[in-house]
Amino acid sequence: MNKLTPKASFRKLAAIYEKMVAQYGEAAGAIDMTCSGCTDNCCLSFFQHHTYVEWAYMWEGLNQLPADRLEEIKSKAQDYVDQAQRALSAGQRPHVMCPLNIDEEQGICGLYKHRLMICRMHGVPNMLVKPNGQQIQFPGCYRCQELTEEYEKDGKMAPVVNRTNLYKDLVMLEMQFVGKNLRQLPKVDHTIAEMIVLGPPRLK
Ligand code: SF4
Ligand code: SF4
């Protein structure tokens, strides 16, 4: 498999993200869901990301920010990592605002165009069939679950985004982006804050 340049990889990733946005929009539109006025900002959720290509693309976005803004984000990211570590050591699930969020009340992402796959899919019902055949279902966020219940009261079925093909495309792109070193490199399992503190991924 031919290795892609970072530029070509990022173009492909942006195209995968566009498909996600379209499918998210269809599912959210069907149940009339928006994030407006949400009281449970999902950017406070503790979750990890798993691809080098998304990590690198996030840094492509970060590197376009003014230097002082980037320094502020790095400092928030370090705080996040420290707070998360304290929570985990106390046996609690961290509940810390993502360092890229720029408005806690409105839940505005400060790196919207470069936000990662899990950020894009969190809200709506979605499912994934893994290569081993295992099917995983995600019910969507609390608001989505309430709206889905309401929508399905009179027998209709709310749409579920099948992200299997998007996931396959992302896995393929990861291989094309990293190249033959992928098997030798450590598995990516980082929060956004960790990806910021660590800096852009090293692929050698
Ligand atoms: S990257 Fe953006 S959308 Fe994702 S958790 Fe952070 S602020 Fe929220
Ligand atoms: S996806 Fe759901 S939890 Fe996240 S901000 Fe929107 S409504 Fe709130």
Side-chain angles (χ1 to χ4, degrees), residues 82-127:
D82 296 343
Q83 285 188 56
Q85 194 49 54
R86 279 198 293 277
L88 291 170
S89 305
Q92 293 159 2
R93 191 168 177 83
H95 190 68
V96 189
M97 179 51 76
C98 172
L100 294 180
N101 193 287
I102 49 176
D103 184 337
E104 190 156 339
E105 277 184 18
Q106 298 291 316
I108 295 173
C109 179
L111 209 66
Y112 193 74
K113 187 175 145 230
H114 291 80
R115 73 197 192 284
L116 289 80
M117 178 179 74
I118 301 173
C119 302
R120 291 166 193 264
M121 277 292 153
H122 178 82
V124 296
N126 62 91
M127 56 84 69

Side-chain angles (χ1 to χ4, degrees), residues 24 33-35 38 40 42 122-123 141-143:
Y24 183 101
M33 178 170 133
T34 70
C35 296
C38 172
D40 182 21
C42 51
H122 178 82
C141 68
Y142 83 99
R143 175 178 281 185

